[in-house]
Amino acid sequence: MTTVVFFPGDGIGPEICAAARRVLETVQEQAELPLTVVEGLVGGAALDAHDDPLPPESLELARRADAVLLGAVGGPKWDGLPPAKRPEQGLLRLRKELELFANLRPAQIFPQLRAASPLRPELIEGVDILVVRELTGDIYFGEPRGAEVVQGKRRAWNTMVYDEDEIRRIAEVAFRAARDRRRRLCSVDKANVLETTRLWREVVTEVGRDYPDVELQHLYVDNAAMQLVRAPAQFDVILTGNMFGDILSDEASQLTGSIGMLASASLGQGRGMYEPIHGSAPDIAGQDRANPLATILSVAMMLRHSLDQAPLAERIEAAVLRVLDQGLRTADIAAAGEPVVGTQAMGEAVAAALREQATS
Ligand code: NAD
């Protein structure tokens, strides 16, 4: 029996996860998938109940599960707490404990939502990018790091460091992903200045020799940032380190103009964790106004990458396109004057589209 753990988290998390669970249960019934869904506490919700943003029982649930689905964590209620007690710590610890080193973030234009992009329609035509970001190394974790005051002057430092094994394993993930897509991989570095990324370029080139069917290109990060807004449709898979990936994946997601539509996966050697890219949106929490589609698309990614159910993932993705075709919009993706539906109704509509597919 496959087990999936849902961590709804805070803010809109419980609402979007309820809608996503409804959709997962619908495909599960249709495909007679032997699957158990359990729920656990993480983030602010876990702090309130157990004074710990990742209580041991939640970590144990995640370790025993085949995949994890996370809503979002955080909110003003916990903003004043010391760093170790912040809701985000629950999420960071979960990534670390599960050794999730590869972050996959698709940024895709939904034709029905073209108007939401900040770029002109002719620039975004055909944009379908997958950013593969290394998640557990680089300057975010490198040692030594610190801050001090020397003779009255403050200074601080961090270390950008990668070893070849770390680069090789993330490169493998990206090449394999490119193979399932349009077979183009753009590796992003700053090899003209930084030794770390010179090694990055060398190792990615070496790994590329095992994937002669994937076209490999290298770009400096400054050029990549520029190309993403100048001609984003040129990209298929973008592979990059933790810090450059942090920045470029946010830039790529904004091309689509719809934060409520984008899913992500964090993968390791074992189970993966799936989550929408947005936060807990405390400004609209509890009002049935959140867009659940990013979380529903995260369920599709989970079926594809962790549960070996790519056809079911495709069914969910098709159902999402179907509801958009039908004109259903939550407030964040509605054009001025368009009628809007709530979180629950949107989840229900995707479930209905799945049932419709099954009978047509
Ligand atoms: P946010 O993504 O929560 O919200 C930004 C804006 O987008 C808000 O106006 C919000 O209403 C809107 N929005 C976000 N998701 C939406 C959805 N599904 N449907 C409709 N509108 C949506 O970012 P923020 O306001 O900077 O952060 C709020 C809280 O979330 C903070 O506590 C932050 O630390 C946390 N956060 C958590 C994660 C995570 O859990 N992975 C990621 C980012 C931020």
Side-chain angles (χ1 to χ4, degrees):
M1 175 70 86
T2 304
T3 306
V4 170
V5 55
F6 272 50
F7 289 125
D10 311 316
I12 59 171
E15 299 163 71
I16 53 178
C17 280
R21 189 166 173 173
R22 177 92 191 82
V23 169
L24 178 60
E25 283 167 356
T26 305
V27 284
Q28 182 189 355
E29 277 161 29
Q30 290 177 332
E32 295 179 17
L33 198 64
L35 183 83
T36 308
V37 178
V38 293
E39 288 206 6
L41 294 176
V42 77
L47 273 166
D48 286 352
H50 301 288
D51 199 31
D52 182 349
L54 181 65
E57 52 270 38
S58 294
L59 181 57
E60 198 45 38
L61 275 181
R63 284 215 173 102
R64 282 206 309 261
D66 295 279
V68 176
L69 188 104
L70 185 108
V73 297
K77 181 175 176 193
W78 304 280
D79 277 351
L81 294 174
K85 280 272 163 80
R86 297 285 296 266
E88 295 78 7
Q89 279 305 316
L91 180 53
L92 295 178
R93 273 174 49 206
L94 206 44
R95 285 181 185 154
K96 189 161 181 285
E97 297 284 347
L98 300 181
E99 294 178 60
L100 304 172
F101 65 86
N103 186 229
L104 272 57
R105 266 207 199 184
Q108 163 193 8
I109 300 288
F110 293 88
Q112 301 90 337
L113 306 177
R114 261 189 218 113
S117 173
L119 295 192
R120 291 198 308 275
E122 66 270 26
L123 288 181
I124 56 163
E125 190 61 45
V127 166
D128 180 4
I129 302 170
L130 177 69
V131 180
V132 178
R133 166 190 170 195
E134 202 286 332
L135 210 53
T136 53
D138 205 352
I139 196 164
Y140 290 2
F141 295 93
E143 296 284 348
R145 61 190 299 156
E148 64 182 6
V149 181
V150 181
Q151 293 175 346
K153 195 192 281 190
R154 287 169 296 168
R155 64 191 286 270
W157 63 96
N158 294 91
T159 303
M160 180 180 253
V161 54
Y162 268 122
D163 71 35
E164 58 180 307
D165 294 345
E166 291 173 300
I167 302 170
R168 196 169 288 115
R169 67 180 184 177
I170 188 76
E172 295 277 359
V173 170
F175 275 105
R176 282 200 301 270
R179 226 174 219 174
D180 288 341
R181 294 171 48 99
R182 302 193 303 282
R183 294 174 185 255
R184 293 210 317 273
L185 179 69
C186 174
S187 174
V188 174
D189 59 41
K190 190 69 183 168
N192 49 343
V193 179
L194 301 169
E195 283 79 359
T196 326
T197 71
R198 218 166 286 152
L199 177 66
W200 178 279
R201 188 176 284 216
E202 271 172 37
V203 176
V204 171
T205 304
E206 287 161 20
V207 174
R209 293 196 189 109
D210 294 333
Y211 297 84
D213 51 324
V214 176
E215 183 193 320
L216 172 63
Q217 175 199 20
H218 301 276
L219 282 188
Y220 296 139
V221 62
D222 41 347
N223 188 13
M226 184 175 75
Q227 295 298 333
L228 265 175
V229 285
R230 197 190 70 83
Q234 69 183 287
F235 294 107
D236 178 14
V237 176
I238 294 177
L239 162 65
T240 191
N242 203 348
M243 181 166 65
F244 297 159
D246 193 358
I247 299 163
L248 293 181
S249 60
D250 267 20
E251 187 187 357
S253 67
Q254 286 311 302
L255 299 175
T256 71
S258 43
I259 198 173
M261 296 295 301
L262 300 179
S264 79
S266 300
L267 308 177
Q269 307 293 4
R271 74 204 54 66
M273 183 159 87
Y274 300 84
E275 52 185 312
I277 69 159
H278 57 72
S280 59
D283 51 334
I284 56 167
Q287 301 170 31
D288 194 39
R289 282 170 62 197
N291 184 348
L293 293 179
T295 319
I296 290 171
L297 291 167
S298 300
V299 166
M301 285 189 92
M302 180 174 85
L303 286 162
R304 177 174 291 116
H305 294 287
S306 283
L307 305 184
D308 202 19
Q309 296 288 345
L312 298 187
E314 281 161 26
R315 268 158 66 176
I316 292 179
E317 286 157 357
V320 167
L321 291 180
R322 174 88 185 114
V323 299
L324 293 176
D325 280 339
Q326 288 167 340
L328 272 87
R329 302 284 186 269
T330 42
D332 58 308
I333 53 173
E338 256 182 336
V340 300
V341 297
T343 313
Q344 230 185 320
M346 186 59 111
E348 202 42 65
V350 176
L354 282 164
R355 287 193 295 270
E356 217 178 83
Q357 270 174 19
T359 55
S360 63

